[in-house]
Amino acid sequence: MKARRAQTPARSAAAEPPSPPPPPASEPGGDDPAFDDASDLTPVVASNLKRFRAERGLSLERLAKASGVSRAMLGQIELGQSTPTINVLWKIARALGVPFSALMSQATSPVTTVMQASQARILRSRNGDFSSRALFPMDRPRNVEFYELRLAPRSVEHADAHAPGTAENLIVTEGSVEITVAGERRLLETGDAILFEADSPHSYRNPGSSEAVMYLVMTYGSRG
């Protein structure tokens, strides 16, 4: 499925995205642990991964083949010995056929939920240049998720294709961000928004000298 064009006007970027992104040693998406601000996230991911894998009758070998994440890393995650990077979580979620948040969910059912900044669960890229903070209760899998994203100056974050039917609706609130979807680049300045299908590889690049801040609504397609 091809990505749709941005639904709101955005300016084409003149600069080509760096290839490979600097610094090469900190490219996200590897099997290295994330810098995680929430100490209780590791056991939650471990428990959920073990449960989803068992429900689907998948061995570590089969899940490794389906996700592209090594068997050793999957085993470490299940044992609570490692917290995966953002991209590794995406790969696992897609292979299991569950929303991203399902791997980090804890079952609770409050009528009102306050998500205090001091207790936020923040996932970071391997080098710490990119961070994602969930702005919704992680008490159950959801079809719509809401995130605050931060991207360091002169840095880039690459994302693998998400599950078919997944859409990203993003607004830049500070700085500027270049979004590349299936080879098409769009430059968003502060206040600009974009909507695109995220079931193809895409990236976020901050061409500026200050941190970029974005807010993202992630919508999953219906699942049978």
Side-chain angles (χ1 to χ4, degrees):
M1 183 182 294
K2 294 184 177 179
R4 291 196 298 267
R5 292 179 179 272
Q7 301 302 301
T8 54
R11 289 166 288 280
S12 296
E16 292 292 329
S19 179
S26 59
E27 181 179 344
D31 284 358
D32 295 275
F35 297 104
D36 177 26
D37 287 355
S39 60
D40 63 340
L41 185 58
T42 299
V44 172
V45 173
S47 175
N48 286 331
L49 174 55
K50 186 179 299 183
R51 175 168 57 87
F52 287 132
R53 187 171 67 81
E55 289 174 352
R56 287 154 179 77
L58 292 172
S59 64
L60 285 174
E61 289 82 359
R62 288 180 60 192
L63 182 56
K65 184 176 181 179
S67 65
V69 178
S70 70
R71 183 191 185 284
M73 173 55 67
L74 291 172
Q76 289 176 15
I77 296 171
E78 280 200 2
L79 292 173
Q81 297 174 349
S82 177
T83 300
T85 59
I86 296 172
N87 275 349
V88 168
L89 273 178
W90 274 116
K91 290 177 180 179
I92 296 172
R94 181 175 184 183
L96 291 171
V98 300
F100 181 75
S101 60
L103 289 170
M104 299 179 289
S105 298
Q106 285 181 301
T108 58
S109 55
V111 176
T112 301
T113 302
V114 175
M115 289 153 285
Q116 297 179 336
S118 61
Q119 298 177 5
R121 290 178 175 176
I122 301 176
L123 288 175
R124 302 185 188 277
S125 60
R126 178 177 151 193
N127 63 357
D129 285 348
F130 178 78
S131 68
S132 172
R133 175 167 71 107
L135 300 175
F136 59 95
M138 287 185 172
D139 55 350
R140 64 185 66 88
R142 300 170 185 273
N143 287 331
V144 178
E145 300 169 354
F146 183 35
Y147 295 94
E148 176 189 74
L149 308 180
R150 292 179 177 268
L151 188 59
R154 314 292 184 187
S155 61
V156 62
E157 173 71 7
H158 294 280
D160 291 331
H162 302 323
T166 303
E168 294 193 13
N169 193 178
L170 179 148
I171 183 170
V172 178
T173 57
E174 295 181 28
S176 60
V177 179
E178 181 187 84
I179 307 293
T180 300
V181 184
E184 181 178 1
R185 294 187 301 276
R186 297 284 180 164
L187 180 63
L188 307 181
E189 302 290 354
T190 301
D192 289 343
I194 189 171
L195 171 66
F196 63 91
E197 291 182 1
D199 50 8
S200 61
H202 49 285
S203 65
Y204 318 86
R205 186 175 75 92
N206 180 357
S209 58
S210 60
E211 181 182 59
V213 180
M214 302 158 275
Y215 288 90
L216 169 67
V217 175
M218 179 80 68
T219 305
Y220 295 94
S222 58
R223 295 179 299 276

